[in-house]
């Protein structure tokens, strides 16, 4: 759990400067990096969601 959370947090934090460059300075290349990072975030969130669901289901099966 902690490893997934750390990866998620690191990804979000790595996007901070590109968000600032895009929204504050209008840097189009930073916008592209933000979009890519957000897609990576979406995929990571989906993987974590699936893992949680699988763990939840396996626990329910044992009862």
């Amino acid at each position: 759990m902690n490893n997934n959370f750390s990866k998620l947090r690191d990804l979000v934090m790595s996007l901070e400067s590109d968000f600032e460059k895009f929204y504050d300075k209008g840097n189009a290349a930073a916008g592209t990096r933000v979009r890519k990072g957000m897609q990576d975030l979406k995929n990571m969130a989906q993987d974590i969601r699936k893992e949680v669901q699988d763990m939840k289901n396996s626990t329910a099966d044992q009862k």
Side-chain angles (χ1 to χ4, degrees), residues 7-24:
K7 288 180 184 179
L8 193 63
R9 183 182 54 220
D10 291 345
L11 177 58
V12 170
M13 296 306 293
S14 72
L15 295 173
E16 183 177 13
S17 67
D18 286 325
F19 266 92
E20 290 173 358
K21 288 176 187 175
F22 178 71
Y23 284 107
D24 296 340

Side-chain angles (χ1 to χ4, degrees), residues 8-52:
L8 193 63
R9 183 182 54 220
D10 291 345
L11 177 58
V12 170
M13 296 306 293
S14 72
L15 295 173
E16 183 177 13
S17 67
D18 286 325
F19 266 92
E20 290 173 358
K21 288 176 187 175
F22 178 71
Y23 284 107
D24 296 340
K25 299 176 184 173
N27 184 322
T32 301
R33 291 189 297 272
V34 167
R35 285 194 351 260
K36 182 192 180 306
M38 294 305 294
Q39 185 65 41
D40 293 343
L41 184 63
K42 176 185 169 189
N43 292 336
M44 187 181 297
Q46 185 64 37
D47 291 343
I48 292 170
R49 184 178 183 280
K50 183 180 181 316
E51 180 182 328
V52 168

